[in-house]
Amino acid sequence: MRLKAVVFDLDGVITDTAHLHFLAWHAVAQEAGITIDEIFNEELKGISRMDSLVRILRHGGKEEMFNHEQRLALASRKNDLYVRSLASLNQESLLPGIRELLTEIRAANVRIGLASVSLNAPGILHALGIRQAFDFCADASRIACSKPDPEIFLAACAGLNVRPQEAIGIEDAAAGVEAINAAGMLSVGIGPGLDHAGLQLRSTRELTWKCLTDFWSSRTVLIRN
């Protein structure tokens, strides 16, 4: 079976906006009388905005103190702060090796997709100067279930017109790797603590086209045997 698509998560795989997310959530949490740190922020990786807010409110013991409208206001405030911070992103904000990898995937005539729950993903890709590198970006606004549900990766595969079994998904969050696995794709995890990924790498510096093709070949050989 030939590899037909590679589907990327955004934050932590293509660029690192985790600290920008943390600063925005930290400010909003403080307004709600809750303190969070960067260790807690790790739990929010790959999780949608509203699900992240619920976790923060639960962390502060205030889950019952905010109604739906108030939660929407807090989530909107967080997004406003985050979007303003995105002005600092540019073409130098790509993680190591990503630009070269996208070029090599395109040269191999393999399709490229994005499966990010960030509603700001199109603007981020534009700021990074790589929007045209992607054949299809799953629309986070149309996704009902957040990761670890496989919905967004299945949507990306459908948009690329490939079967999940013909694609590799790349993630830096445990929930994202679970979503890739549940979708029936081969999974690559970037960073520590992702032992459930089919292939675990320490950083994007190790994420090369040869690495991906070797991984694909080794797994498809196992399947055939």
Side-chain angles (χ1 to χ4, degrees):
M1 187 187 306
R2 187 174 75 85
L3 173 62
K4 294 185 179 179
V6 179
V7 180
F8 291 82
D9 177 41
L10 178 57
D11 294 338
V13 175
I14 292 173
T15 189
D16 189 2
T17 60
H19 187 63
L20 300 181
H21 278 293
F22 168 68
L23 293 176
W25 276 128
H26 184 268
V28 168
Q30 280 196 318
E31 292 173 11
I34 300 170
T35 299
I36 63 172
D37 57 21
E38 295 206 55
I39 295 175
F40 176 81
N41 191 59
E42 289 293 310
E43 298 180 22
L44 308 182
K45 278 188 173 182
I47 306 299
S48 72
R49 193 183 307 155
M50 291 306 295
D51 287 346
S52 294
L53 177 59
V54 169
R55 292 193 183 202
I56 290 170
L57 295 177
R58 188 180 299 140
H59 174 72
K62 298 191 175 186
E63 193 172 1
E64 306 302 321
M65 295 177 62
F66 294 85
N67 62 31
H68 182 65
E69 290 72 22
Q70 291 169 322
R71 291 184 183 195
L72 287 176
L74 287 173
S76 178
R77 167 79 173 140
K78 181 268 175 180
N79 190 55
D80 289 344
L81 292 170
Y82 174 66
V83 169
R84 274 185 245 162
S85 73
L86 292 179
S88 64
L89 293 179
N90 55 45
Q91 295 190 26
E92 301 303 314
S93 303
L94 282 172
L95 286 174
I98 292 301
R99 188 181 303 282
E100 293 79 7
L101 176 60
L102 292 172
T103 300
E104 289 183 286
I105 296 173
R106 172 68 65 225
N109 200 29
V110 171
R111 296 178 70 76
I112 302 173
L114 188 78
S116 170
V117 296
S118 173
L119 295 171
N120 300 297
I124 293 172
L125 293 182
H126 180 74
L128 297 171
I130 56 170
R131 178 63 187 86
Q132 298 306 312
F134 289 81
D135 297 296
F136 182 79
C137 298
D139 186 349
S141 69
R142 294 177 177 268
I143 301 301
C145 301
S146 187
K147 302 169 187 178
D149 190 280
E151 182 181 7
I152 195 164
F153 281 99
L154 292 173
C157 288
L160 293 168
N161 196 30
V162 300
R163 293 183 298 140
Q165 296 80 6
E166 299 171 321
I168 288 176
I170 305 174
E171 267 279 2
D172 76 315
V177 171
E178 287 180 45
I180 295 170
N181 291 339
M185 305 163 67
L186 290 188
S187 58
V188 176
I190 307 296
L194 302 177
D195 300 340
H196 54 314
L199 174 65
Q200 185 177 4
L201 303 176
R202 288 171 293 183
S203 76
T204 58
R205 288 182 174 85
E206 299 178 353
L207 184 62
T208 63
W209 179 233
K210 183 179 186 305
C211 169
L212 291 181
T213 53
D214 286 349
F215 171 51
W216 181 263
S217 298
S218 67
R219 294 304 293 265
T220 51
V221 165
L222 287 175
I223 292 170
R224 286 200 300 270
N225 292 338

